[in-house]
Amino acid sequence: METILQAVGNVGFPIAVAAYLLVRIEGKLEALTASIARLAEAVAGERRQEE
């Protein structure tokens, strides 16, 4: 918590909020990327079955 308060004091509130949001959303982006890859594999499998 102390580190966060120091960051706000040093770089300003908007930059601290942006950094916090980037860290939080990273895991969600990785999960979304994995889901898109699985979807692409499923679509490719369906195309192979149709042929």
Side-chain angles (χ1 to χ4, degrees):
M1 185 67 176
E2 185 177 324
T3 305
I4 294 172
L5 292 176
Q6 286 177 343
V8 170
N10 290 337
V11 297
F13 181 74
I15 294 174
V17 169
Y20 171 75
L21 292 175
L22 285 172
V23 169
R24 275 219 42 176
I25 201 167
E26 180 181 4
K28 293 177 184 177
L29 286 174
E30 290 173 359
L32 182 60
T33 301
S35 295
I36 292 171
R38 286 194 310 268
L39 179 60
E41 290 173 6
V43 169
E46 286 292 323
R47 285 186 181 171
R48 278 186 244 128
Q49 287 179 356
E50 290 177 1
E51 292 177 351

